[in-house]
Amino acid sequence: MTLPVKNMVFPMVLLRLAEWLVYKLLANSCYRAAMKVKNSGFFLRNSSFKSSHQIPLYPSISKCNLHGRKSETVACDIQGTLLRSESFFPYFMLVAFEGGSIFRAFFLLLSSPLLLVLDYELKLRVMIFITFCGLRLKDMDSVGRAVLPKFYLENLNVHVYEVLKSAGCRVVFTSVPRVMVEGFLKEYLSVDNVKGTELHSVGSYFTGLISSSGILVKPRAIKEFLGENKPDIGIGNSSFHDHLFISLCKEAYVVNKEDEKSSSVLTREKYPKPLVFHDGRLAFLPTPLATLAMFIWLPIGIVLAIFRLFIGICLPYKIAIFLGTLSGVQLRLKGTDPPRSENGKGVLYVCTHRTLLDPVFLSTSLGKPLTAVTYSLSKMSEILAPIKTVRLTRSRTKDAEAMQRLLSEGDLVVCPEGTTCREPYLLRFSSLFAELADEIVPVAMNTNVSMFYGTTASGLKCLDPIFFLMNPRPSYTVEILGKVPKELTCAGGKSSHEVANYIQRQLAAALGFECTNLTRKDKYLMLAGNEGVVDNQDSRIVVNPN
């Protein structure tokens, strides 16, 4: 008696799956056994025969001579070579989360177990499809310009970077999408040409598919691009494909495990270009495990942020500090609050600008109400703010009059940078505040987060406080410096610009930061592609007319 064909389908599928698993396991086991036998030389008793047939061993990248390379060409990859990590998953996750949405990031995370059993090419195609299907081209451009460079710089292999820097011509060949790496390589590492996998797009959207040229194969790409002109230096990893790639170069070097372990993190002062601005919400490199931890934490973080907001808005300062500390918020106060001015006017607190919560944490740490002035504030932030906030215009005369009036009523907080900056830099100070008061107290504010940044240039600013308070243990350091001596104020004969520059230097020294002449306009041109000047009704950008 024969079974119907439809009843045979499921057993056949199981049989095929079992066959595939056995093949994979057996093939991998046999391969590993063969490599062990090969390395032990069990069948290769003749050492001269062994050395003539094994894959050539290339010297470590740390052995490369860096002198006299200015006229030479270096070719390398970014994945597993320029970057210490061989996995490119975290950078796909950054694009999915920051350029796409939290749902796209979640789907990419769900695919990570499947990626473990796929070969390299299929794994890359799956990550590309999930990350880029329906993604706008301008969103990828924004992430590539404002988010990815920070994480690339923090993961640079110092040995490879130094070789790349020593060469006169630099070419990168990579199988990862070109749009993910080209901006960083050209802007920060001065790479002359970047050859990577090209993505298919329709109109202003990616389809998630690879173009007709397919995934870039480095040995073939180097031949097509350079022809018979071999690069002077080739750098690769220990894989077979990279051995083929670097064998086409005059000199070849590999990045091995020892090099990755001995390669120190590139310190900030050695960055090829200062990293002053970057955007995005994620404050960590989203590896699969780190991303899983974030998604597990999210429901807890949202509840915790609401609780922290509630105690900050509704409860007295001392109780709010106590309960906030129990919930994980760390508030450190250094210095003492100076006495109120004898002339009856309020004290002008001049703060560095790390998040929208700067005036709130200053008011809480001092245990007294303050008034904060800002040039743009979302309705939500204005409603939830536990202190008085005043929205200013862009008219210098009107703003000066308003701030003078507020100072006559009490103490005032101003952030003369005009916009937040995450990195250890201070932006140029607007000098308006220096013309308004002789009682000026600089306050050095700094924050530390582990999961989410509480600032954004291209996202919704009304969510900034929520994201900051969603961190497991967010911290704020408030350091009150002494009053500025009267002889160093405008009342002492100094110009407003001299006073502003003096206070900027004083705050930078207290924080260990670096002063810059960059402004709000520079920040938004870099991160958001605009000048940060928008209608007051737009809650996405804080502006500062200089």
Side-chain angles (χ1 to χ4, degrees):
M1 180 178 178
T2 58
L3 295 173
V5 175
K6 64 178 181 179
N7 293 335
M8 295 292 293
V9 173
F10 185 67
M12 288 300 296
V13 170
L14 289 179
L15 182 62
R16 288 296 180 91
L17 180 60
E19 181 184 0
W20 179 83
L21 287 173
V22 170
Y23 170 76
K24 280 288 186 179
L25 293 173
L26 185 60
N28 289 334
S29 300
C30 291
Y31 175 77
R32 287 195 295 267
M35 291 303 296
K36 287 181 179 178
V37 171
K38 176 182 179 299
N39 292 334
S40 65
F42 184 78
F43 293 112
L44 300 175
R45 299 295 182 186
N46 189 328
S47 60
S48 62
F49 177 82
K50 176 181 176 182
S51 62
S52 63
H53 285 75
Q54 68 182 5
I55 295 176
L57 297 177
Y58 295 108
S60 166
I61 186 61
S62 59
K63 306 296 183 185
C64 182
N65 182 13
L66 303 180
H67 301 292
R69 301 288 192 177
K70 288 300 180 185
S71 60
E72 296 183 352
T73 300
V74 61
C76 68
D77 196 350
I78 184 171
Q79 183 181 4
T81 306
L82 257 174
L83 299 182
R84 290 178 295 157
S85 172
E86 293 185 6
S87 172
F88 220 75
F89 178 90
Y91 306 101
F92 279 101
M93 179 58 72
L94 286 167
V95 176
F97 187 92
E98 307 288 7
S101 67
I102 193 171
F103 302 106
R104 185 187 295 270
F106 185 67
F107 285 130
L108 182 59
L109 176 64
L110 290 180
S111 74
S112 57
L114 174 65
L115 299 177
L116 295 175
V117 300
L118 300 179
D119 60 32
Y120 176 76
E121 181 174 338
L122 193 53
K123 181 189 304 184
L124 191 59
R125 287 180 180 273
V126 170
M127 288 194 294
I128 288 173
F129 181 80
I130 296 175
T131 303
F132 286 93
C133 182
L135 188 72
R136 295 184 300 180
L137 271 66
K138 69 175 185 178
D139 289 333
M140 176 62 242
D141 178 67
S142 176
V143 173
R145 181 180 64 251
V147 178
L148 292 176
K150 170 185 170 63
F151 295 94
Y152 287 148
L153 286 171
E154 291 176 347
N155 201 21
L156 274 183
N157 186 308
V158 175
H159 297 309
V160 180
Y161 165 67
E162 288 176 346
V163 174
L164 193 74
K165 184 174 66 172
S166 68
C169 181
R170 305 155 189 173
V171 187
V172 170
F173 297 89
T174 183
S175 56
V176 302
R178 176 185 56 80
V179 293
M180 290 181 65
V181 298
E182 185 176 39
F184 165 74
L185 291 172
K186 289 189 173 182
E187 183 175 352
Y188 283 86
L189 303 187
S190 301
V191 171
D192 299 283
N193 291 284
V194 178
K195 299 298 177 181
T197 297
E198 299 293 338
L199 302 184
H200 183 261
S201 62
V202 175
S204 58
Y205 292 87
F206 290 104
T207 62
L209 303 176
I210 294 172
S211 68
S212 58
S213 57
I215 292 177
L216 182 135
V217 179
K218 287 183 283 187
R220 183 174 63 197
I222 196 172
K223 288 181 179 179
E224 292 176 353
F225 182 69
L226 295 175
E228 299 299 323
N229 300 321
K230 291 186 175 182
D232 298 284
I233 307 171
I235 309 173
N237 55 41
S238 55
S239 69
F240 175 72
H241 289 290
D242 268 29
H243 275 75
L244 290 178
F245 168 62
I246 61 179
S247 67
L248 301 174
C249 305
K250 296 177 183 177
E251 293 181 52
Y253 299 91
V254 294
V255 179
N256 50 43
K257 296 295 182 182
E258 289 72 21
D259 291 325
E260 292 176 4
K261 293 178 181 178
S262 64
S263 176
S264 58
V265 176
L266 191 67
T267 56
R268 184 176 294 275
E269 58 270 15
K270 292 184 179 179
Y271 280 1
K273 176 182 176 181
L275 181 72
V276 181
F277 302 124
H278 70 90
D279 204 13
R281 291 295 190 186
L282 297 183
F284 63 97
L285 185 67
T287 61
L289 286 179
T291 308
L292 176 62
M294 180 199 72
F295 276 103
I296 293 174
W297 173 258
L298 266 177
I300 304 171
I302 293 172
V303 173
L304 200 57
I306 295 172
F307 171 74
R308 289 165 175 172
L309 275 175
F310 173 79
I311 63 176
I313 295 171
C314 302
L315 299 181
Y317 297 116
K318 290 185 179 180
I319 299 178
I321 292 175
F322 175 73
L323 293 179
T325 302
L326 289 181
S327 73
V329 178
Q330 302 176 46
L331 177 59
R332 301 183 182 92
L333 175 63
K334 301 179 182 179
T336 57
D337 189 23
R340 188 176 177 86
S341 172
E342 295 180 357
N343 60 16
K345 294 183 64 176
V347 174
L348 180 62
Y349 294 94
V350 178
C351 300
T352 53
H353 205 3
R354 309 307 283 177
T355 76
L356 292 178
L357 295 172
D358 293 334
V360 175
F361 275 91
L362 177 59
S363 176
T364 302
S365 60
L366 294 179
K368 66 178 182 180
L370 301 173
T371 301
V373 292
T374 179
Y375 291 97
S376 182
L377 191 68
S378 69
K379 287 294 183 182
M380 179 183 292
S381 299
E382 198 168 9
I383 293 170
L384 295 178
I387 63 174
K388 181 180 178 181
T389 57
V390 176
R391 187 180 302 179
L392 300 178
T393 68
R394 297 182 181 89
S395 168
R396 192 177 182 88
T397 303
K398 291 181 180 179
D399 290 344
E401 291 175 354
M403 292 174 70
Q404 285 281 19
R405 175 177 53 80
L406 292 170
L407 277 171
S408 66
E409 298 172 356
D411 298 332
L412 189 64
V413 184
V414 63
C415 299
E417 288 176 277
T419 187
T420 55
C421 183
R422 300 173 180 175
E423 297 302 305
Y425 297 93
L426 292 186
L427 307 185
R428 193 181 75 193
F429 279 22
S430 171
S431 60
L432 176 61
F433 74 91
E435 303 171 6
L436 306 177
D438 302 330
E439 302 286 337
I440 302 174
V441 178
V443 181
M445 311 283 290
N446 202 6
T447 62
N448 184 52
V449 296
S450 58
M451 191 172 288
F452 302 110
Y453 285 114
T455 61
T456 182
S458 54
L460 291 172
K461 292 200 72 66
C462 62
L463 296 180
D464 285 359
I466 303 294
F467 272 101
F468 178 82
L469 295 174
M470 281 171 57
N471 283 285
R473 293 183 65 84
S475 70
Y476 243 101
T477 301
V478 180
E479 183 176 359
I480 302 173
L481 308 183
K483 279 187 182 181
V484 177
K486 191 171 183 178
E487 61 271 17
L488 296 177
T489 65
C490 291
K494 299 293 182 179
S495 70
S496 59
H497 293 287
E498 289 176 323
V499 176
N501 292 338
Y502 168 76
I503 294 178
Q504 183 196 36
R505 292 192 300 269
Q506 191 181 24
L507 290 171
L511 293 168
F513 288 2
E514 184 177 339
C515 295
T516 74
N517 285 322
L518 299 172
T519 65
R520 172 267 313 154
K521 178 180 177 180
D522 298 315
K523 171 185 172 179
Y524 282 96
L525 283 174
M526 166 64 190
L527 300 183
N530 58 61
E531 296 185 4
V533 178
V534 293
D535 186 14
N536 273 341
Q537 299 302 317
D538 194 324
S539 63
R540 299 167 73 99
I541 298 174
V542 177
V543 298
N544 172 30
N546 290 306

